[in-house]
Amino acid sequence: MRKKKFDFYPGLPAKNRPFTIEDIVCGVDEAGRGPLAGPVYAAAVILDPARPIEGLRDSKKLTEARRDELAPIIKEQALAWAIAECSHEEIDTLNILQATMLAMRRAVEMLATVPTIALIDGNRCPQFTTSVRAHAVVEGDDKVHAISAASILAKTARDAALVALHAAYPQYAFDQHKGYSTALHLARLREHGPCPVHRRSFAPVRALIEQPDLFAGMPA
């Protein structure tokens, strides 16, 4: 029986693919642009055509347990992978968009195998210092398996980092909301004020720094 051909680009029609079979393609995605605290992470993955991975899709559409199952499989079976970050200090200095682009660039340039083209999730691309071509793919984390894999690695790495930050700052419950602006996180911010890993340039945090009495009397 003939073995079924595996499609690594289920949402990217062949006529729209900006690469050839000679290209070394990596997928790139980020995690943590929106939170009020902690670093932003990015991952780059070059999948092995001989070792397809079942179940890859946008990390946000997977359960935490499924992401945790897939992450080590990706690391074991990919031709190359890398994870990079930009700190909260870099985010405040550069702005979140530029910090995200920098984290993506770092991830690609850390790959043990040099790609010829990077497919970037979203509508913007980082500027690489090497000859790697960049191509943005809107909703690429559900269209390109290498981007899906990068999405999973970035998300699991960032979640693990926020659990570690919870150990240092348990009063903020980072292990529960991972730094996002949930009702719980905002309540803890009002109660305790920002901690060293909060992003000072983000509006809710900046407001508490500039007007510490703004939320006085509100329930924590």
Side-chain angles (χ1 to χ4, degrees):
M1 181 182 292
R2 173 182 277 184
K3 188 176 181 180
K4 181 182 177 182
K5 187 176 180 181
F6 197 85
D7 186 3
F8 283 76
Y9 311 96
L12 203 60
K15 64 180 181 179
N16 294 336
R17 296 175 185 177
F19 52 86
T20 69
I21 58 173
E22 284 79 30
D23 275 304
I24 300 172
V25 180
C26 79
V28 184
D29 203 1
E30 56 75 28
R33 284 185 64 170
L36 304 179
V40 60
Y41 273 74
V45 178
I46 301 174
L47 292 176
D48 185 349
R51 305 181 74 187
I53 300 169
E54 296 284 353
L56 293 179
R57 62 182 310 193
D58 176 5
S59 65
K60 296 184 292 296
K61 297 180 180 179
L62 298 170
T63 64
E64 181 177 359
R66 184 58 178 149
R67 291 193 299 267
D68 289 342
E69 289 174 358
L70 284 168
I73 296 173
I74 294 166
K75 293 176 180 179
E76 178 188 354
Q77 296 187 197
L79 286 176
W81 60 272
I83 302 171
E85 66 178 274
C86 262
S87 68
H88 60 279
E89 295 100 338
E90 290 175 304
I91 292 169
D92 287 337
T93 300
L94 299 172
N95 75 46
I96 185 58
L97 173 60
Q98 295 306 316
T100 301
M101 294 295 107
L102 178 55
M104 288 181 170
R105 191 183 83 194
R106 286 172 175 168
V108 171
E109 294 178 353
M110 286 168 58
L111 288 168
T113 299
V114 180
T116 58
I117 185 169
L119 303 182
I120 315 294
D121 182 57
N123 59 6
R124 295 174 183 265
C125 294
Q127 297 294 314
F128 296 118
T129 57
T130 62
S131 60
V132 179
R133 309 191 318 272
H135 182 81
V137 182
V138 176
E139 297 181 352
D141 42 14
D142 249 351
K143 296 178 180 178
V144 176
H145 280 186
I147 298 179
S148 303
S151 171
I152 291 164
L153 292 191
K155 175 65 174 168
T156 52
R158 188 179 190 281
D159 282 357
L162 268 291
V163 170
L165 285 177
H166 172 72
Y169 307 102
Q171 66 271 35
Y172 297 97
F174 286 135
D175 61 329
Q176 297 182 50
H177 51 69
K178 307 302 190 295
Y180 286 89
S181 56
T182 64
L184 172 62
H185 190 186
L186 293 173
R188 297 297 175 86
L189 261 175
R190 290 195 298 267
E191 181 178 1
H192 302 288
C195 76
V197 298
H198 277 102
R199 301 173 180 177
R200 265 59 181 164
S201 57
F202 279 44
V205 181
R206 187 174 65 246
L208 280 170
I209 295 170
E210 294 175 351
Q211 297 176 278
D213 297 326
L214 184 63
F215 300 106
M218 294 184 65

